[in-house]
Amino acid sequence: MSQNLTHFDNQGQAHMVDVGAKDETRRVAVARGSITMQPDTFAMIRAGDAKKGDVLGIARIATIQASKKTSDLIPLCHPIPLTRVAVEFHLDEAASRIDLTVTAETVGRTGVEMEALTAVNVGLLTIYDMCKAVDRFMRMHDIQLHEKLGGKSGHWKL
Amino acid sequence: MSQNLTHFDNQGQAHMVDVGAKDETRRVAVARGSITMQPDTFAMIRAGDAKKGDVLGIARIATIQASKKTSDLIPLCHPIPLTRVAVEFHLDEAASRIDLTVTAETVGRTGVEMEALTAVNVGLLTIYDMCKAVDRFMRMHDIQLHEKLGGKSGHWKL
Amino acid sequence: MSQNLTHFDNQGQAHMVDVGAKDETRRVAVARGSITMQPDTFAMIRAGDAKKGDVLGIARIATIQASKKTSDLIPLCHPIPLTRVAVEFHLDEAASRIDLTVTAETVGRTGVEMEALTAVNVGLLTIYDMCKAVDRFMRMHDIQLHEKLGGKSGHWKL
Amino acid sequence: MSQNLTHFDNQGQAHMVDVGAKDETRRVAVARGSITMQPDTFAMIRAGDAKKGDVLGIARIATIQASKKTSDLIPLCHPIPLTRVAVEFHLDEAASRIDLTVTAETVGRTGVEMEALTAVNVGLLTIYDMCKAVDRFMRMHDIQLHEKLGGKSGHWKL
Amino acid sequence: MSQNLTHFDNQGQAHMVDVGAKDETRRVAVARGSITMQPDTFAMIRAGDAKKGDVLGIARIATIQASKKTSDLIPLCHPIPLTRVAVEFHLDEAASRIDLTVTAETVGRTGVEMEALTAVNVGLLTIYDMCKAVDRFMRMHDIQLHEKLGGKSGHWKL
Amino acid sequence: MSQNLTHFDNQGQAHMVDVGAKDETRRVAVARGSITMQPDTFAMIRAGDAKKGDVLGIARIATIQASKKTSDLIPLCHPIPLTRVAVEFHLDEAASRIDLTVTAETVGRTGVEMEALTAVNVGLLTIYDMCKAVDRFMRMHDIQLHEKLGGKSGHWKL
């Protein structure tokens, strides 16, 4: 195997990788994840709005805020000044499932996959938190990177 | 449907629920989640140690630290002084999968499910971060609550 | 003048006041503040909801989260585990003014005035942020404590 | 009304606005706010110094530190690397009022109004905190933007 | 050697130690540390006050604030609600040295040594920061615990 | 004395110094510090690994994470996006001493001495935390800057 885990140096010691010589370019990452719940729970969320309890509106804010905390949560991540974060929910009634997609962007020296993924995870956790009193069987799943743009690896799609 | 989302008041407005009248009792929560990767990535992690690059050791620390940031990440969570956090990894070679189990405890007025789940999510994200240079197909899944002890709902197991 | 600023010791040096000997009792604080804007801006906010842009829903979440950051922002504040935070908006069309009231509670050794006031300030700032592209003349004002319950000073109302 | 709240997309969903295509230019914002108190309280603050209890010195530090936490407090704010923060107090004895002016600067893609305003709010809260044991009638008011420089809107003054 | 590092379990894995069964008792810790500098630098600090530049006043505030961030900085520390933090500076002109002593207290289940020590470290760093433009030879040293009270180990003094 | 403490303006008031006109250049800082302990404690740390309790692996992660919190801890520090952080431990058995060296880098407008020094301090504190149950006599010392590169002062070595 010729590849290496870049977060470790030759002695196997963790470091924050040197990105000082990389160009500042536009970088985009799209990550997605899902939470599946009981049909009653799903119905409550779908019925919600600013009048009855807007679960997704609150999760959206937590998602955006979490993107800004990525380097505080993930030990070897570089601090990155995000230039855009967008959040999209898709509701699949047949599956009692909510899909959360986050697009993160920066103009910087390193990619923003972790920012997009961290945002997805915290967004799903926030949905979970607001519904946990009525449903203990919620499950978060299929959290992964879907697209990546910028840097030397160019455009990648799942 | 007689149940309600407790994070909203009668007008559907979000609030941090009043727990002031609840007793301070011992509360435990166990959450689990998994990350599945390519076999080469799995082999790299398994081979790792303090000499060659200890991915799981670092993920363990990020997991514990994240448990302490839960109320900062999840908007309506109460701040909770955790009294114990334990982290366990299980490596399933056949499936190229790592399972992460977190047990969180407090002596307090409200449960610690969100602390255990937030820790699991950030632990999986940290594994992802350290391996993303060699594998873009990692997927986080099956993140859910497995056990809960304390409070008026007593002992619950998935 | 016989009164002293308790945050300073006999030599005039700042300290975090000793509250170790105080009882843990229920403590409540109610704070309020207002933001006045141009009539068009006010109309936009009032028209908003989860479909058209829910300014107040987002401000509500920022308000609650800020209450948990008080001891991080105000140097001499004790860290306090809040047991309840509630947020209420009042819209006064004639005055193009939004009033924000926060009620904070704890069971602890010291009062929660600063938690309620910090939450009010950040809630008003969040409204400001979301409307600043259309109105540079917004003004925050009349931010003060309205009620306080618990501790040796008993019940106080403005 | 042709203007829109830029923090919401076409569907009315909150996002962190895309600033990636904007130029990095010098941007300045000046914000001001006031706290009015009882004359005795005002006298205590004015008498204070490093020997007797330096309320304003401590508030100044909290003000500067808060400017750095803006994007953590205000959900849709971009993280901005500030290049300068200056704080000025003006004491008006006749009115028993302290005015706090903050000037914030960056070289970046978006303005720093929220950084200056957040700093003002936390500075006033810190004065409040240190005097609350002797005065429950303090009131924060007239917090607003006074000047803005840089970006496509050029130079603006209240 | 019969003693063990309690932060590791039987398999040598790090955990946040279970303190749930411990009593909530009053706990005190006193830590001290020093910074030695060039005589000119020392003279500048000693001359400073709220008029000329109050290095120690600012360091005092940073010291108190850092005590509240201990569990965020030290991975396996429990979050602890401090009930008192006091800071004392001693200036030794002959040695061009400033000694910083912090006393931290809580009513809790675990000791506050780390809170006192973290506060000392950050206080010394803040002095360093403010003087680094005039002196690159400052050295921090003799940072250690001096006294500890409460818990099963009783009263201990260096 | 012609030199001044740059963190204070002409009136002696603290400010975050204006660095907006400085060039963005590569800047490096190397800081070092030591912790001396009892021989038994030293032996425990040296024997540690991912199986028996990896004290230094955990301290390394805390060190890297702390570098990212510098501007949150040190009041007048500018927020700086680090581009590299490397950590090295040296074990001196004869002296029962561990030396910790941190190299921090950025491409920015101001130096990274404080980032390197803050990381060293928190790394030593983390070692202390994990060993404090077996040794109350540990002492942190000789924490200072060793090298600095970039900016108008060029290359400097202790």
Side-chain angles (χ1 to χ4, degrees):
Chain A
M1 199 185 316
S2 63
Q3 293 176 301
N4 287 303
L5 299 180
T6 54
H7 282 308
F8 298 100
D9 64 19
N10 295 334
Q11 281 75 46
Q13 303 305 349
H15 58 165
M16 194 195 290
V17 180
D18 187 1
V19 299
K22 288 182 165 189
D23 283 336
E24 290 207 315
T25 62
R26 179 171 173 254
R27 292 157 189 276
V28 186
V30 181
R32 192 171 300 159
S34 300
I35 183 166
T36 294
M37 55 198 70
Q38 295 180 327
D40 279 3
T41 315
F42 182 88
M44 277 184 173
I45 292 177
R46 205 182 41 181
D49 59 19
K51 291 285 173 299
K52 289 193 191 160
D54 182 13
V55 170
L56 298 185
I58 296 172
R60 184 185 302 275
I61 296 308
T63 301
I64 292 171
Q65 287 185 294
S67 70
K68 296 186 268 185
K69 292 181 202 286
T70 304
S71 72
D72 191 36
L73 292 167
I74 313 296
L76 304 178
C77 268
H78 297 82
I80 289 180
L82 291 164
T83 56
R84 180 190 170 220
V85 180
V87 180
E88 201 184 330
F89 292 105
H90 172 80
L91 279 71
D92 185 323
E93 186 177 8
S96 279
R97 198 190 70 225
I98 296 174
D99 303 323
L100 168 49
T101 304
V102 171
T103 303
E105 290 195 31
T106 193
V107 179
R109 293 187 167 80
T110 180
V112 288
E113 303 98 300
M114 294 316 301
E115 280 69 15
L117 284 161
T118 300
V120 167
N121 275 273
V122 173
L124 297 175
L125 283 166
T126 301
I127 296 175
Y128 189 106
D129 178 48
M130 281 185 287
C131 299
K132 70 179 194 294
V134 299
D135 187 350
R136 281 182 186 159
F137 298 91
M138 288 175 285
R139 186 172 46 89
M140 292 166 270
H141 55 94
D142 285 300
I143 305 169
Q144 59 189 139
L145 186 67
H146 278 251
E147 194 171 349
K148 183 172 147 59
L149 193 74
K152 66 179 179 191
S153 58
H155 191 181
W156 173 88
K157 261 191 116 161
L158 187 65
Chain B
M1 198 185 319
S2 63
Q3 292 176 301
N4 287 303
L5 300 180
T6 54
H7 282 308
F8 299 101
D9 64 18
N10 295 335
Q11 281 75 45
Q13 304 305 349
H15 58 166
M16 194 195 290
V17 181
D18 187 1
V19 299
K22 289 181 164 190
D23 283 335
E24 290 206 315
T25 61
R26 177 170 174 255
R27 292 157 190 275
V28 185
V30 181
R32 192 172 302 159
S34 300
I35 184 166
T36 294
M37 56 198 68
Q38 295 180 325
D40 279 4
T41 315
F42 182 88
M44 278 184 174
I45 293 177
R46 204 182 43 181
D49 59 19
K51 291 287 174 297
K52 289 193 191 159
D54 183 12
V55 170
L56 299 185
I58 295 171
R60 184 185 302 275
I61 296 308
T63 301
I64 292 172
Q65 286 185 295
S67 69
K68 295 185 268 185
K69 292 181 201 285
T70 302
S71 71
D72 191 37
L73 292 167
I74 312 296
L76 305 178
C77 268
H78 296 82
I80 291 180
L82 292 165
T83 55
R84 180 189 170 221
V85 180
V87 180
E88 201 184 331
F89 293 106
H90 173 79
L91 280 71
D92 185 321
E93 185 178 9
S96 278
R97 198 191 70 227
I98 296 174
D99 304 324
L100 167 50
T101 304
V102 170
T103 304
E105 291 196 29
T106 194
V107 179
R109 293 186 168 83
T110 180
V112 287
E113 301 98 300
M114 293 317 300
E115 280 70 15
L117 283 161
T118 300
V120 166
N121 274 274
V122 173
L124 297 175
L125 283 166
T126 301
I127 295 175
Y128 189 105
D129 177 49
M130 281 186 287
C131 299
K132 71 180 192 294
V134 299
D135 187 350
R136 281 184 186 155
F137 298 91
M138 288 176 285
R139 187 172 45 87
M140 292 166 270
H141 56 93
D142 286 301
I143 305 170
Q144 60 189 139
L145 187 67
H146 279 250
E147 195 171 348
K148 183 172 148 57
L149 192 74
K152 67 179 179 192
S153 59
H155 191 181
W156 174 88
K157 260 190 118 161
L158 186 65
Chain C
M1 201 183 318
S2 64
Q3 292 176 300
N4 286 303
L5 299 180
T6 54
H7 283 308
F8 299 99
D9 64 18
N10 295 335
Q11 281 75 45
Q13 304 305 347
H15 58 164
M16 194 195 290
V17 180
D18 188 1
V19 299
K22 288 182 164 189
D23 283 335
E24 290 204 315
T25 61
R26 175 169 175 258
R27 291 157 190 275
V28 186
V30 181
R32 191 172 302 160
S34 300
I35 183 166
T36 294
M37 56 197 71
Q38 295 179 328
D40 279 3
T41 315
F42 182 86
M44 278 185 173
I45 293 177
R46 204 183 41 180
D49 59 19
K51 291 286 173 298
K52 290 193 191 158
D54 183 12
V55 169
L56 298 185
I58 295 172
R60 184 185 301 275
I61 296 306
T63 301
I64 293 172
Q65 286 185 294
S67 69
K68 296 185 268 186
K69 292 181 202 284
T70 304
S71 72
D72 191 36
L73 292 167
I74 312 299
L76 304 177
C77 268
H78 296 82
I80 289 180
L82 292 165
T83 55
R84 179 187 171 223
V85 180
V87 180
E88 202 184 332
F89 293 105
H90 173 79
L91 279 71
D92 184 321
E93 185 177 9
S96 277
R97 196 191 71 226
I98 297 173
D99 303 324
L100 167 49
T101 305
V102 171
T103 305
E105 290 195 31
T106 194
V107 180
R109 293 187 168 80
T110 181
V112 289
E113 301 98 298
M114 294 316 300
E115 280 70 15
L117 284 161
T118 300
V120 166
N121 274 275
V122 173
L124 297 175
L125 283 167
T126 302
I127 295 174
Y128 189 106
D129 178 49
M130 282 186 286
C131 300
K132 71 180 191 295
V134 299
D135 187 349
R136 281 184 185 155
F137 297 91
M138 289 176 284
R139 186 172 46 89
M140 293 166 271
H141 55 95
D142 285 301
I143 305 169
Q144 60 189 139
L145 187 67
H146 278 250
E147 193 171 352
K148 183 171 148 56
L149 192 74
K152 66 180 180 192
S153 58
H155 191 179
W156 175 88
K157 260 190 120 163
L158 188 61
Chain D
M1 199 185 318
S2 63
Q3 293 177 301
N4 285 303
L5 300 180
T6 54
H7 282 309
F8 299 99
D9 64 19
N10 295 334
Q11 281 75 46
Q13 303 305 348
H15 58 165
M16 194 196 289
V17 181
D18 188 1
V19 299
K22 289 183 165 189
D23 283 335
E24 290 205 316
T25 61
R26 176 169 175 256
R27 292 157 189 278
V28 186
V30 181
R32 193 171 301 159
S34 300
I35 183 166
T36 293
M37 57 197 69
Q38 296 179 327
D40 279 3
T41 315
F42 183 87
M44 278 184 173
I45 293 177
R46 205 182 41 179
D49 59 19
K51 291 285 174 298
K52 289 196 192 156
D54 183 10
V55 170
L56 298 185
I58 296 173
R60 184 186 301 274
I61 295 306
T63 301
I64 293 172
Q65 287 185 293
S67 69
K68 297 187 267 184
K69 292 182 202 284
T70 304
S71 71
D72 191 36
L73 292 168
I74 312 298
L76 304 177
C77 268
H78 297 82
I80 290 179
L82 292 165
T83 55
R84 179 186 171 223
V85 181
V87 180
E88 201 183 332
F89 293 105
H90 172 79
L91 279 71
D92 184 322
E93 185 177 7
S96 278
R97 196 190 71 226
I98 297 173
D99 304 323
L100 167 49
T101 304
V102 171
T103 304
E105 290 195 31
T106 193
V107 179
R109 293 186 168 80
T110 181
V112 289
E113 302 97 301
M114 295 315 301
E115 280 69 16
L117 284 161
T118 300
V120 167
N121 275 274
V122 173
L124 297 175
L125 284 166
T126 301
I127 295 174
Y128 189 106
D129 178 49
M130 282 186 287
C131 300
K132 71 181 192 294
V134 299
D135 188 350
R136 283 183 185 156
F137 297 91
M138 289 176 284
R139 186 172 46 88
M140 292 165 271
H141 55 95
D142 285 301
I143 306 170
Q144 58 188 139
L145 187 67
H146 279 250
E147 192 171 352
K148 182 172 147 58
L149 192 74
K152 65 180 179 191
S153 58
H155 191 180
W156 174 89
K157 260 190 118 162
L158 188 63
Chain E
M1 202 185 315
S2 63
Q3 293 176 300
N4 287 302
L5 299 180
T6 53
H7 282 308
F8 299 100
D9 64 18
N10 294 336
Q11 281 74 46
Q13 304 305 348
H15 58 166
M16 194 195 289
V17 180
D18 188 2
V19 299
K22 288 183 166 187
D23 283 336
E24 290 206 316
T25 61
R26 176 170 174 256
R27 291 157 190 276
V28 185
V30 181
R32 191 171 303 160
S34 300
I35 183 166
T36 294
M37 56 198 68
Q38 296 179 327
D40 278 3
T41 315
F42 182 87
M44 278 184 172
I45 293 177
R46 205 182 42 181
D49 59 18
K51 291 285 173 299
K52 289 193 192 159
D54 183 12
V55 170
L56 299 185
I58 296 173
R60 183 186 302 275
I61 296 307
T63 300
I64 292 172
Q65 286 185 294
S67 70
K68 296 186 267 185
K69 291 181 202 284
T70 304
S71 72
D72 191 36
L73 292 168
I74 312 297
L76 304 177
C77 267
H78 296 83
I80 289 178
L82 292 165
T83 56
R84 180 188 170 222
V85 181
V87 180
E88 200 183 331
F89 292 105
H90 172 79
L91 279 72
D92 184 321
E93 185 177 9
S96 277
R97 197 189 71 225
I98 296 174
D99 304 324
L100 167 49
T101 305
V102 171
T103 304
E105 290 196 30
T106 193
V107 180
R109 294 186 167 82
T110 181
V112 289
E113 300 98 300
M114 294 316 301
E115 281 70 15
L117 283 161
T118 299
V120 167
N121 275 273
V122 173
L124 297 176
L125 284 166
T126 301
I127 295 174
Y128 190 105
D129 178 49
M130 281 185 288
C131 299
K132 70 181 193 294
V134 299
D135 187 349
R136 282 183 185 156
F137 298 91
M138 287 175 284
R139 186 171 46 87
M140 293 166 270
H141 56 94
D142 286 300
I143 305 169
Q144 59 189 141
L145 186 68
H146 279 250
E147 194 171 351
K148 182 172 149 55
L149 192 74
K152 67 180 178 191
S153 58
H155 191 181
W156 174 88
K157 261 190 118 161
L158 187 64
Chain F
M1 199 185 320
S2 64
Q3 292 176 301
N4 285 304
L5 299 181
T6 55
H7 282 308
F8 298 99
D9 64 18
N10 295 335
Q11 282 75 46
Q13 303 306 347
H15 57 164
M16 194 195 290
V17 180
D18 188 1
V19 299
K22 289 182 165 189
D23 284 335
E24 289 206 316
T25 60
R26 177 170 174 255
R27 291 158 189 276
V28 186
V30 181
R32 193 172 299 160
S34 300
I35 183 166
T36 294
M37 56 197 70
Q38 295 179 327
D40 279 3
T41 315
F42 183 87
M44 277 184 173
I45 292 177
R46 203 181 44 180
D49 59 20
K51 291 285 174 297
K52 289 194 192 159
D54 183 12
V55 170
L56 298 185
I58 295 171
R60 184 185 302 276
I61 296 306
T63 301
I64 293 172
Q65 287 185 295
S67 69
K68 296 185 268 186
K69 292 182 203 284
T70 304
S71 71
D72 191 36
L73 293 167
I74 312 298
L76 304 177
C77 268
H78 296 82
I80 290 180
L82 291 165
T83 55
R84 179 186 171 223
V85 180
V87 180
E88 203 184 330
F89 292 106
H90 173 78
L91 280 71
D92 184 322
E93 186 177 7
S96 279
R97 197 191 71 225
I98 296 173
D99 304 324
L100 167 49
T101 305
V102 171
T103 304
E105 290 195 30
T106 194
V107 179
R109 293 187 169 81
T110 180
V112 289
E113 301 98 301
M114 294 316 300
E115 281 69 16
L117 283 161
T118 300
V120 166
N121 275 275
V122 173
L124 297 176
L125 283 166
T126 301
I127 295 174
Y128 189 105
D129 178 49
M130 282 186 286
C131 300
K132 71 180 191 295
V134 300
D135 188 350
R136 281 183 186 156
F137 298 91
M138 288 176 285
R139 187 172 45 89
M140 292 166 272
H141 56 94
D142 285 301
I143 305 170
Q144 59 188 138
L145 186 67
H146 279 250
E147 194 172 349
K148 183 172 147 57
L149 193 74
K152 66 179 179 191
S153 59
H155 191 179
W156 173 88
K157 261 190 118 161
L158 187 64

